[in-house]
Amino acid sequence: MAQVLYLTHPEVGIDPAVAVPDWGLSAHGAARVADLAKRGAWNGWHVVTSAERKALETAWPLAAAAGAAVEVRPDMHENDRSATGFLPGAEFEAVADAFFAAPEVSVRGWERAVDAQARIMREVQAVLAAQRGRDVIFCGHGAVGTLLYCALAGEAISRRWDQTGGGHYFSFDPEHMTPETHWQALETLWR
């Protein structure tokens, strides 16, 4: 049976002067991905990513290891937070808490969680329908990854299902569309 993984980008270089979708991986985040690309058995994997720079920088080394091109799906982007732009740590966490706690509300102009969840589900289902039977890794983002996990697990949207930090993955069964694992650090993959 095909393996399917959803992997979140690891640590980024935060720059308040740069639009969040344009942030790249930090040196530490890039090193984590490079290590994963080296130790994995990626031949035959289909690598899919959002168009955000940090997700692309996560996908490119894995695709190179697989000897394949990256499929870029712009609608796999993180929840749209452009209404606020960069928010400092504590403020961001408070707004993220509200985003998950009130999924049908646009918190401070952010995309509603229910809309982001429907969007990421559509993208994943479209890829899996086109890549039936292939191993697929989705390189994406924490919030929409958590929303995807909640949908697959049949759980209400809640931040309790969120990862702790970036650079985590979960696997799911593409036939039954159910999680096989919860979030795990990318270092545990292929160990």
Side-chain angles (χ1 to χ4, degrees):
M1 177 174 353
Q3 295 182 43
V4 180
L5 306 172
Y6 186 94
L7 172 69
T8 63
H9 64 79
E11 297 81 2
V12 298
I14 296 173
D15 184 347
V18 174
V20 175
D22 296 330
W23 288 352
L25 296 180
S26 68
H28 179 67
R32 290 178 71 196
V33 172
D35 181 58
L36 176 61
K38 282 187 235 167
R39 75 170 181 272
W42 295 108
N43 287 340
W45 280 77
H46 186 69
V47 181
V48 186
T49 182
S50 86
E52 292 191 34
R53 182 174 164 203
K54 53 196 164 280
L56 287 164
E57 290 180 4
T58 302
W60 288 331
L62 303 179
V70 171
E71 179 181 354
V72 178
R73 297 195 62 99
D75 280 347
M76 276 183 52
H77 64 82
E78 181 61 289
N79 62 312
D80 184 351
R81 306 187 304 252
S82 58
T84 59
F86 171 79
L87 295 173
E91 184 179 5
F92 171 81
E93 293 300 328
V95 178
D97 285 345
F99 167 82
F100 281 101
E104 296 192 12
V105 174
S106 173
V107 178
R108 291 185 56 184
W110 283 16
E111 178 181 24
R112 298 182 320 155
V114 292
D115 297 329
Q117 184 180 57
R119 176 174 50 77
I120 194 66
M121 280 296 295
R122 277 192 309 272
E123 289 299 296
V124 165
Q125 289 168 329
V127 168
L128 294 179
Q131 301 298 327
R132 193 167 308 280
R134 286 191 69 188
D135 295 332
V136 177
I137 183 165
F138 294 93
C139 298
H141 310 277
V144 292
T146 297
L147 296 172
L148 174 65
Y149 180 88
C150 290
L152 296 174
E155 297 287 349
I157 292 172
S158 171
R159 199 165 191 196
R160 76 179 277 232
W161 302 109
D162 201 3
Q163 64 178 341
T164 304
H168 286 74
Y169 75 95
F170 67 85
S171 63
F172 63 96
D173 177 338
E175 183 178 337
H176 299 101
M177 295 296 283
T178 53
E180 296 173 322
T181 64
H182 193 247
W183 294 114
Q184 299 178 51
L186 64 80
E187 285 78 10
T188 66
L189 190 55
W190 307 117
R191 294 271 185 216

